Amino acid sequence: MTAGAFPIRPGRPFPLGASTDGDGVNFAVFSRHATRVMLCLFDENGAEHQVVPLPEREGHIWHGYFPGMKADQQYGYRMDGPYRPEDGHRFNPYKLLIDPYAKQLTGHPTWHSSLYGYKVGHKDKDRSFDRTDSAPYMPRCVVVDPRPDAHHAPTRPNHALENTVIYEAHVKGLTAGRADIPNRGTFLAMASDPILEHLNNLGVTAIELLPVQAFLNEKFLIDRGLTNYWGYMTHGFFAPDPRYLTFGDIAEFQQMVARFHSAGIEVILDVVYNHTAEGSEMGPTLMFRGLDNASYYRLADDRRYYLDDAGCGNTLDFENPFVMRLMMDSLRYWVEVMHVDGFRFDLCTTLGRTRTGFDRNGPFFRAIGQDPVLNRVKLIAEPWDIGPGGYQLGAYPAPFAEWNDKYRDNVREFWRGDPGKVADLAARLSGSAQFFDHDGRAATSSLNFLTAHDGFTLQDTVSYSTKHNLANGEDNRDGHSNNHSDNMGVEGPSDDPAVIAARTRRKRNLMATLMLSQGTPMILAGDELSNSQGGNNNAYCQDNEIGWVTWPERDDPFFTFCQQAIAFRRMHPLLRQRRFLHSRQRVIDGEPDLFWRRANGEAMRQEDWDNPTLDTLVAEMRMASGTPEYVQRQGALLIVLNRGEAVEIRPPDLPEGEAWVRRFDTSQDDAIRVTQGMHVAADAVVVFSHETPH
């Protein structure tokens, strides 16, 4: 290594990361237990030409300033300190490390034995020490000029949660199958006219992207000829993943967001802060392990090992203020600089877990709640992990919404014909109040979904009774085995018209139920096209036609139905309420806001709720008791969910001159064509509206 041209000055301990002021670049990095921090500078060809110890330390932040340095400078860190795994310390100066605050990376790690801090294959395993330089196999960090983003639209859509319909998508999976889109598989492809037109035509208001922060392809997948497709192995919490950049410029992400905003669509990121790509004690040394293992990670009583609440080898320690600061700085960066509109937190229970267990008033939630940037964006929790007390559905504080897996399971069970599921369906249709109606939370807190990236697609839910994951290379052991699915008589694809018709009706009923339910709906990209993954319910490693949306085989009639179902929800504020429905009498007319009926018009009794053979649920629904006058109002809706034989519905009596008008019917090719009569076909969802005909 030869000395470079850059002198060094003391600099300052803030902000963390590499920051340029036009005259030079300041570097600041946290490490409590290091004895020396070395900044490594690289030329544009990746050659390391200068290694300089950061000269100053304030508290546990090491820093230095380089006059004359400009943006685009490539860099990384090496750390001196103790290598004592039994004490939790794993410093190794031979390993080039990623700056946790790096805004851009040159690429991804290339798997090589030098990435490990220990000697691979040594009898002492991770207690051995490796002196092979990892720099040739590591990406470099890039100094980014924080110039204003010229691409960003001046305003955000700012859709209220009650008006939100989320579309969960994968950047490559949604675009790879479109031959008419340039730069397929990238942020620029996501921002293309065909994708924006499709989403606008469908009627969704937000797109939730699977992880786009820089992530690792695990070695065991590469050895199988597979890849980390979903991206839940983050190693860069500020940097967009290079694989989604066309020209290597992070402004491409900003351009994508601006294009979505111009189309009236918000952007939500699926983020992974519960664990990192470094895995267990036998994993590689890429960043935190080498920067300060004992500070960044939660360690077991035997400090050689990690607490693993995520099932991925390690867990970040959010009781350490610098780890919390890292996450909060990262989230604010994605909102303020990259302009996203919200986050879905993977395995969010881990973020709320302290030494004594999950705490809904813990440091993570307090930090979010007081932050003036983050407490105004959309926040969505995946309310579980594999740690002790990991399932926490309904336990999160406002303003969090939560993925409601009970909704997915109960709705699938009812339409599959499982006995005794009517009461569960009623609870899901009315917003799952038993989980979410506390501490001033809104009915929109229940994020309702039928399908997500993890599990069967909607088409596969009605086409497969068992998972078919052999392509993942784990002998079909991976993925959920209890999918509440039904192959409708034939496992997999069928050309039988009766089977096809039955599957189409089931999909319509499922999608209609989703759009008629109180809460916030989310649909999986491709479901509107009847996309199949061939029965694979865990396509995390399938960066191919299994995991991609198959546009050439799109189901246009079902797409039209989904358009109509979403539009129907949008037209009826009664379906999008913030207040819970508890069958309470309304002051305005003395009517209950929710009334459950039998098909013959009589009120549901307890024996009806307990009847395992009951196939029909009728909900008479109004605006919630206590709804203020300024909220948009409408008359009652009579929602009928019938999985049994055809039935005649006896509606509530109405004053003379008023009528129940059929406004939605899944048994019709045109679901929103207005028809008369109270006949409900077998296996159908029908909605009648209380109206005064002109």
Side-chain angles (χ1 to χ4, degrees), residues 111-335:
W111 281 104
H112 185 268
S113 60
S114 65
L115 296 184
Y116 299 89
Y118 61 91
K119 294 181 179 179
V120 176
H122 193 278
K123 63 180 179 62
D124 292 330
K125 298 182 179 180
D126 61 301
R127 288 174 291 190
S128 62
F129 186 80
D130 183 75
R131 289 179 169 80
T132 309
D133 183 12
S134 69
Y137 307 96
M138 284 290 291
R140 277 85 60 201
C141 309
V142 181
V143 177
V144 173
D145 185 350
R147 58 188 180 275
D149 172 26
H151 298 292
H152 183 57
T155 58
R156 300 170 182 264
N158 285 327
H159 297 297
L161 201 55
E162 60 266 28
N163 299 325
T164 296
V165 178
I166 297 173
Y167 186 86
E168 190 199 30
H170 186 283
V171 169
K172 186 172 184 180
L174 187 62
T175 61
R178 290 293 297 260
D180 59 332
I181 297 177
N183 307 310
R184 289 180 290 171
T186 68
F187 297 128
L188 295 182
M190 286 292 285
S192 64
D193 287 341
I195 295 298
L196 296 178
E197 290 169 3
H198 176 79
L199 297 179
N200 278 149
N201 288 338
L202 182 59
V204 299
T205 68
I207 187 164
E208 181 179 303
L209 299 178
L210 266 70
V212 297
Q213 295 171 330
F215 61 89
L216 184 71
N217 285 322
E218 297 100 302
K219 187 176 186 302
F220 80 92
L221 289 175
I222 292 175
D223 291 344
R224 295 179 189 167
L226 300 170
T227 187
N228 182 344
Y229 173 56
W230 285 349
Y232 290 92
M233 277 291 177
T234 308
H235 63 72
F237 291 106
F238 291 78
D241 194 277
R243 76 194 75 196
Y244 299 140
L245 298 173
T246 303
F247 303 106
D249 189 342
I250 65 171
E252 296 170 34
F253 182 92
Q254 295 167 316
Q255 180 180 344
M256 175 193 70
V257 174
R259 291 271 290 162
F260 274 118
H261 285 177
S262 295
I265 299 171
E266 295 179 304
V267 178
I268 299 170
L269 299 188
D270 191 337
V271 289
V272 187
Y273 293 103
N274 53 79
H275 72 278
T276 77
E278 292 186 298
S280 72
E281 71 278 0
M282 302 305 293
T285 296
L286 308 175
M287 45 178 179
F288 298 136
R289 178 168 286 138
L291 288 165
D292 192 342
N293 184 70
S295 292
Y296 280 104
Y297 291 117
R298 294 182 64 205
L299 303 180
D301 292 339
D302 182 343
R303 295 177 64 79
R304 178 185 171 191
Y305 302 103
Y306 300 84
L307 295 178
D308 182 13
D309 293 333
C312 297
N314 63 58
T315 304
L316 284 169
D317 185 1
F318 287 99
E319 292 190 275
N320 184 310
F322 284 97
V323 178
M324 181 66 70
R325 178 177 173 180
L326 169 72
M327 180 178 66
M328 299 298 288
D329 287 348
S330 169
L331 293 170
R332 279 190 295 267
Y333 176 80
W334 286 98
V335 173

